[in-house]
Amino acid sequence: MNAHEVKLAADFEAASREQWLALVDKAIKGADFEKKLISKTEDGLRVEPIYVRGDALPASDGEMPGVAPFTRGTSASPKGLGWDIRQFHSGSDPDTVNRAILEDLAGGANSIALHIASPGSSGLSLTEDALSKSLNGVLLDYAGVALVAGENAAPAAKKLIALWNEKGISSEHRRGHFNIDPLGTLAAGGSLGTPIEENLASAAGLVKTAQDMSGVTAMLADGVHYHNSGATEAQELGAMLATLTAYLRALAEHGIAPSAALPKIAVALAVDADQFLGLAKLRAARRLVWRVGEACGVGQSARSLNITAVTSWRMMTKRDPWTNILRTTIATAGAVLGGADAIVVLPFTYALGQTDSFTRRVARNIQIVLQEESNLGRVVDPAGGSWYIERLTDSLAHKAWAVFQEIEAKGGMAVALRSGFVQDEIEKSAEARAKAVATGRIEVTGVSAFPLLGDDGVNVEPWSGGIPASSNPAVSVKRLKAERLGAPFEALRDKADAHQAKTGKTADVFLASIGAVIDHTLRSTWVKNYLAAGGLNALTSDGYKDAEDAAVAFKASGAATACICSSDALYAEHAEAAAKALKASGAKLVLMAGRPGDSEAALRAAGVDQFLVAGADAVATLAGLQVKLGIAG
């Protein structure tokens, strides 16, 4: 041992897992360890409460960045400031888009994601004039252009190449991504106007054209479509990998070897507010792409893999959208720590409609702060070596590989989409997650948890309508159903707002809180938030000493609905009397917060019409209450 080395725990006997478990059992008072402290991801991956040296993966021991399988990154040292700050631009007027692009580039963005109109989507018109005007004044040998063009990706790429030629930008100085992804476009939109084979042939031509453009990729294996439709992390990775494999096969059929094809296929993945899963997903993605490349005999080509991380659309909310700033910041940190090459942060009002100068500035500043003030990009794979992260990455990679193999067993991605297998599997995951949101196991801040009634101060122009999809498509499949997590609750809020606008009155529920604040505050606070998630306004107080006082206050409130709130002990003493008194005072609907237990029959006989309980389907419950209150039919 080095003479200067100090071992802080040298004088202490190493603690065993058994000793730790004994202390844990004492802390949780004999509760089931598995149920109490072990959590699982939506893919069923086990997450321990603590990780120790014995959890280290032998395969990752000593693994370094820049070395296959590239789990820890494709480079041994940071690239510049770490990643590319990419700003998304969508608009139909080239001059307006141009002003926004120049403002963002001057404000710190490095590249742009440019939306081009295509069937089922809005954006810039597919003309050289529109593209040229929107990019006027942009230093195209510095700022990369990533096309978001759906079915029109190939023709849009040709126009971008023409613009590069016009500007005299040499091949080695071109920066961009054509993002041709016919399978992803088919899955997201449900149809293609031209056959898949024709799309792939066109893509192959552009892959050949881009061979001498070191800073350009032609195709995209996009997992974001699947994420936004409800895919788990493993399903998103599996779909991405199956898509990439399908493109490698198609390009090989057009005479492009995997060694030339793989560097021209970019990857896009979503990152959400689960920071650790986000970074593990990106780490697993590199390892998975390397594995496919290795099977093709070109594993080292995976070194050129370019991953764009896009902050999750499905996690964003329309209500209290300011909370989206927190979500996207956490997601961005996960993407950075996971080693994304470029990050697109959706502005916090993106779910509501068109973005403006302020919302775009907030989006890019999230990245700038993490990059230039927090210096997160100056360390390659900072999470590497963590027993937890390495285990999570490994488990996720294995699960994703199993999903990939399932798709391959169905005949590959194109066949699996045609049969609806991929869509059906993702739909099952989406339904399970929606149930978790509705029952409170997953909380959406500002929507299902801590909702803010009233005006949140955000008003934006809605997105414009897109180009209609072809009425006579060449190929059709079951369309992916994209939905945000908070959408069911937001639909309830919309109904409540419409009712208030029509009647001029809020939908009030009087809280008959019995006892002192300390007695009822737990349930009063819970039920206030619970009702607000459905647009119902709780009339609160410090509490009432007994049923008579509560009934008098209820009658004076002008409300027609009341909810009894208190502790179990005071329920036993006052709940039945409160229900009777409220009914006698004109309450058309009497609710009670909490489970009735053995007293349910007596409470119902006294006048309680419905019990509000945690863990039940809140969307269904609140929808039913809206009907009873005359808000919805």
Side-chain angles (χ1 to χ4, degrees), residues 131 135 140 145 147 155-165 178:
L131 188 64
L135 295 176
L140 294 176
V145 178
L147 298 173
K158 293 175 182 177
K159 296 190 186 307
L160 180 58
I161 292 172
L163 184 60
W164 282 334
N165 291 336
F178 301 154

Side-chain angles (χ1 to χ4, degrees), residues 354-392:
Q354 298 182 40
T355 61
D356 58 20
S357 178
F358 174 68
T359 58
R360 291 195 314 276
R361 179 163 64 89
V362 172
R364 70 174 183 267
N365 281 353
I366 287 171
Q367 298 202 57
I368 290 170
V369 168
L370 293 179
Q371 190 175 81
E372 298 189 12
E373 293 188 25
S374 300
N375 293 304
L376 293 191
R378 294 187 180 276
V379 180
V380 177
D381 191 34
S386 160
W387 301 317
Y388 165 49
I389 296 301
E390 295 293 359
R391 279 278 174 187
L392 185 60

Side-chain angles (χ1 to χ4, degrees), residues 15-217:
S16 67
R17 181 172 176 82
E18 289 69 28
Q19 289 174 308
W20 176 73
L21 285 173
L23 292 172
V24 169
D25 186 64
K26 182 179 179 181
I28 63 177
K29 300 177 181 179
D32 189 303
F33 176 84
E34 290 288 323
K35 293 181 179 179
K36 195 77 173 178
L37 294 180
I38 299 298
S39 61
K40 291 188 177 180
T41 72
E42 292 176 340
D43 286 305
L45 308 181
R46 183 182 176 93
V47 178
E48 299 281 350
I50 191 171
Y51 289 80
V52 297
R53 188 172 298 279
D55 293 309
L57 295 171
S60 64
D61 188 33
E63 189 175 297
M64 299 294 291
V67 178
F70 307 116
T71 307
R72 298 204 61 191
T74 56
S75 175
S77 59
K79 301 174 184 177
L81 290 175
W83 72 94
D84 194 20
I85 298 175
R86 184 166 298 158
Q87 194 86 322
F88 178 74
H89 288 273
S90 181
S92 57
D93 178 57
D95 292 327
T96 302
V97 171
N98 177 250
R99 286 193 295 271
I101 288 173
L102 294 177
E103 180 181 53
D104 283 337
L105 291 174
N110 309 124
S111 66
I112 59 171
L114 188 59
H115 203 183
I116 306 296
S118 63
S121 178
S122 61
L124 288 170
S125 62
L126 185 62
T127 63
E128 288 185 21
D129 184 58
L131 188 64
S132 179
K133 282 184 177 180
S134 67
L135 295 176
N136 183 40
V138 176
L139 301 178
L140 294 176
D141 53 350
Y142 166 76
V145 178
L147 298 173
V148 182
E151 279 196 67
N152 284 332
K158 293 175 182 177
K159 296 190 186 307
L160 180 58
I161 292 172
L163 184 60
W164 282 334
N165 291 336
E166 179 188 327
K167 299 288 185 182
I169 298 173
S170 60
S171 295
E172 66 270 20
H173 290 122
R174 295 177 181 183
R175 302 285 180 268
H177 305 277
F178 301 154
N179 289 338
I180 304 169
D181 182 21
L183 292 177
T185 302
L186 174 62
S191 65
L192 287 175
T194 54
I196 294 176
E197 294 73 20
E198 188 175 323
N199 280 272
L200 291 172
S202 178
L206 285 162
V207 168
K208 292 176 181 178
T209 300
Q211 283 301 309
D212 64 344
M213 304 177 192
S214 59
V216 176
T217 63

Side-chain angles (χ1 to χ4, degrees), residues 500-584:
Q500 182 178 348
K502 181 180 179 180
T503 63
K505 298 179 181 179
T506 56
D508 295 333
V509 176
F510 175 87
L511 298 194
S513 303
I514 308 298
V517 171
I518 194 172
D519 297 312
H520 67 75
T521 189
L522 186 63
R523 282 199 169 112
S524 295
T525 301
W526 175 82
V527 82
K528 176 186 176 182
N529 286 319
Y530 186 90
L531 294 170
L536 308 181
N537 179 49
L539 304 178
T540 62
S541 70
D542 288 341
Y544 307 99
K545 67 176 183 179
D546 53 30
E548 290 71 20
D549 276 2
V552 170
F554 166 74
K555 194 166 186 177
S557 72
T561 302
C563 182
I564 304 170
C565 306
S566 194
S567 64
D568 288 342
L570 290 183
Y571 274 167
E573 184 179 352
H574 297 285
E576 289 183 39
K580 292 176 182 177
L582 290 167
K583 281 290 186 180

Side-chain angles (χ1 to χ4, degrees), residues 101-362:
I101 288 173
L102 294 177
E103 180 181 53
D104 283 337
L105 291 174
N110 309 124
S111 66
I112 59 171
L114 188 59
H115 203 183
I116 306 296
S118 63
S121 178
S122 61
L124 288 170
S125 62
L126 185 62
T127 63
E128 288 185 21
D129 184 58
L131 188 64
S132 179
K133 282 184 177 180
S134 67
L135 295 176
N136 183 40
V138 176
L139 301 178
L140 294 176
D141 53 350
Y142 166 76
V145 178
L147 298 173
V148 182
E151 279 196 67
N152 284 332
K158 293 175 182 177
K159 296 190 186 307
L160 180 58
I161 292 172
L163 184 60
W164 282 334
N165 291 336
E166 179 188 327
K167 299 288 185 182
I169 298 173
S170 60
S171 295
E172 66 270 20
H173 290 122
R174 295 177 181 183
R175 302 285 180 268
H177 305 277
F178 301 154
N179 289 338
I180 304 169
D181 182 21
L183 292 177
T185 302
L186 174 62
S191 65
L192 287 175
T194 54
I196 294 176
E197 294 73 20
E198 188 175 323
N199 280 272
L200 291 172
S202 178
L206 285 162
V207 168
K208 292 176 181 178
T209 300
Q211 283 301 309
D212 64 344
M213 304 177 192
S214 59
V216 176
T217 63
M219 301 194 75
L220 176 68
D222 192 354
V224 178
H225 297 306
Y226 305 96
H227 169 89
N228 286 335
S229 299
T232 65
E233 284 75 22
Q235 287 174 330
E236 181 185 355
L237 286 169
M240 175 277 293
L241 199 63
T243 301
L244 181 141
T245 302
Y247 293 161
L248 286 174
R249 290 194 182 107
L251 294 175
E253 291 175 2
H254 286 85
I256 304 173
S259 58
L262 189 56
K264 294 302 173 184
I265 304 175
V267 164
L269 295 168
V271 283
D272 61 19
D274 192 324
Q275 183 181 30
F276 294 115
L277 269 176
L279 72 89
K281 180 163 61 177
L282 268 61
R283 297 176 88 247
R286 288 192 295 272
R287 175 175 166 185
L288 291 165
V289 171
W290 168 82
R291 182 67 186 87
V292 168
E294 187 74 0
C296 298
V298 295
Q300 286 302 313
S301 294
R303 185 187 301 277
S304 62
L305 178 66
N306 186 283
I307 299 179
T308 297
V310 182
T311 58
S312 170
W313 170 81
R314 83 181 187 201
M315 76 174 177
M316 301 188 81
T317 64
K318 289 184 176 181
R319 297 286 176 165
D320 196 7
W322 304 100
T323 57
N324 292 327
I325 298 175
L326 301 177
R327 295 184 182 95
T328 51
T329 299
I330 295 170
T332 302
V336 172
L337 299 175
D341 297 288
I343 302 174
V344 177
V345 175
L346 298 181
F348 70 92
T349 57
Y350 190 83
L352 283 163
Q354 298 182 40
T355 61
D356 58 20
S357 178
F358 174 68
T359 58
R360 291 195 314 276
R361 179 163 64 89
V362 172

